Amino acid sequence: MRIVIGLICLCFLIFFHELGHFLVAKLFKIKVESFSIGMGPILFHKTIKGTDYRISLFPFGGYCGIKGEKDFQEALKNNYSKIEGEKDSMYGCHPFKRAAIGFAGPFFNFLFAFFAFTVILLTGYTTYSYSNKIIIASELDSSIQSQAGKAGLKTGDEIIKINNKKIEDFSDIIFEISKRPDEDIEISVLRDKEIIEFSVHSVLDKTSGTGKIGISADTTTLLKKEIKSKNFFLAIKDGFLESLNMTFLTLKGIFTLFKGVDLKNQVSGPARVADMIGEVVSESATQGKKAVFINLLNFMALISISLFLMNLLPIPVLDGALILFALIEGIFRIRLHPKFYYYIQFIGIFIIIIIFIIGVSGDFIYFKNLIRGSK
């Protein structure tokens, strides 16, 4: 059941992405020939004002079929030096309009995240965590190398600041440390009513792609933290800032992939993403409907930010490449040769296939371990 819930949410995020392309294309009076939720065989469809609206069999994607998207193939076939297109088609409109259509999909993902974070702040929520008192992890497991212990921190210390940011509980510690892999981190602790400063170099956990310093929570104290709802304008401002912050952190996470992180754990296929969304719903259900709503919105916002950034990568077939090539044509007032689009598409397809294989193999290992763990 949780996978079904996850697929519905994932489909919605993809729908919202494609809706961005659709609305901006319509705004510029570019003909949208088809608009589908899902991929593969068409289950239902209805044509309205020249656009064929579809629901397709596989809920792992979707598409917005814009007139003239493959005009480069026709130009190549006829050996044209440039792509000719009608004014209401993708390659017939001004390059800046084409770039705007390409950017609209990822931008709508960012808009959803902004909306989700704003709603969360308007609603308010309750969260639970342990205190800011720590245990040196090597004391629990001698095989663990504790960077914190090497730097001089001790079990029982209370971390009160990390890089001059106030720490209230252990979830704050995890958040601040995890986003700083392989970095020198300034930590202030309270020990015997005395504040002591330490510099700890975090390590990059190649399995999770996050920073760690070898500490554990003191689980003897569970804290309940009430996050009060904010007024409308403050929620909008903080929701936008949170969206920017998560965009920065996600972008930083993408760069850690080049530091030897295990890609099978970091690149998730649609099945694992759907399962994770469903798991969030299942685990939150015991805390009530409000917790389900808040946690689901938060998780979907994080996925939306990832979709925003991933689609902006200048990889052929993705929106980022379409935007880049359109801007090149618009700024330098040149027309790229049809052969360029043809050959660059093959490179894009190759890259997407590699990413797909990594994601699916990671999904396979994930579900295999899940099944083993349930036995």
Side-chain angles (χ1 to χ4, degrees), residues 19-208:
L19 184 64
H21 293 311
F22 174 83
L23 291 176
V24 174
K26 288 285 190 180
L27 177 67
F28 292 141
K29 300 188 184 306
I30 307 301
K31 186 176 180 180
V32 179
E33 296 178 330
S34 59
F35 184 79
S36 176
I37 301 301
M39 304 289 285
I42 299 168
L43 298 178
F44 308 101
H45 74 103
K46 185 176 179 62
T47 301
I48 303 173
K49 294 183 179 180
T51 301
D52 191 36
Y53 297 91
R54 305 168 179 174
I55 296 178
S56 300
L57 180 61
F58 303 113
F60 302 136
Y63 56 87
C64 178
I66 298 174
K67 181 180 178 180
E69 283 183 295
K70 296 184 179 179
D71 276 351
F72 70 89
Q73 293 177 340
E74 187 68 24
L76 192 68
K77 181 181 176 182
N78 294 306
N79 202 28
Y80 295 152
S81 61
K82 61 181 180 180
I83 302 170
E84 298 290 350
E86 298 177 23
K87 288 186 177 181
D88 65 343
S89 68
M90 178 67 87
Y91 291 98
C93 68
H94 193 282
F96 288 158
K97 289 184 178 180
R98 194 187 321 145
I101 293 169
F103 180 70
F107 180 65
F108 263 52
N109 286 131
F110 181 85
L111 277 183
F112 175 81
F114 167 51
F115 167 79
F117 287 133
T118 301
V119 170
I120 290 170
L121 292 168
L122 281 170
T123 307
Y125 57 94
T126 302
T127 185
Y128 295 87
S129 182
Y130 296 112
S131 71
N132 56 351
K133 188 178 291 187
I134 65 165
I135 297 174
I136 300 300
S138 57
E139 295 179 13
L140 300 174
D141 185 343
S142 58
S143 66
I144 297 175
Q145 295 285 326
S146 175
Q147 296 296 103
K150 290 180 182 178
L153 277 78
K154 296 180 180 180
T155 293
D157 285 346
E158 295 178 42
I159 295 180
I160 56 174
K161 284 186 181 179
I162 294 177
N163 280 12
N164 212 34
K165 186 168 183 179
K166 186 179 178 182
I167 298 299
E168 295 183 353
D169 52 47
F170 200 77
S171 63
D172 289 344
I173 297 173
I174 293 173
F175 181 73
E176 295 299 324
I177 298 296
S178 64
K179 68 182 183 181
R180 295 183 171 90
D182 194 24
E183 290 184 22
D184 289 326
I185 302 173
E186 301 305 315
I187 298 177
S188 303
V189 305
L190 183 64
R191 181 190 298 169
D192 298 327
K193 298 182 180 180
E194 181 185 358
I195 297 176
I196 309 174
E197 306 288 339
F198 296 94
S199 180
V200 182
H201 188 83
S202 65
V203 297
L204 170 64
D205 183 343
K206 293 186 178 181
T207 300
S208 64

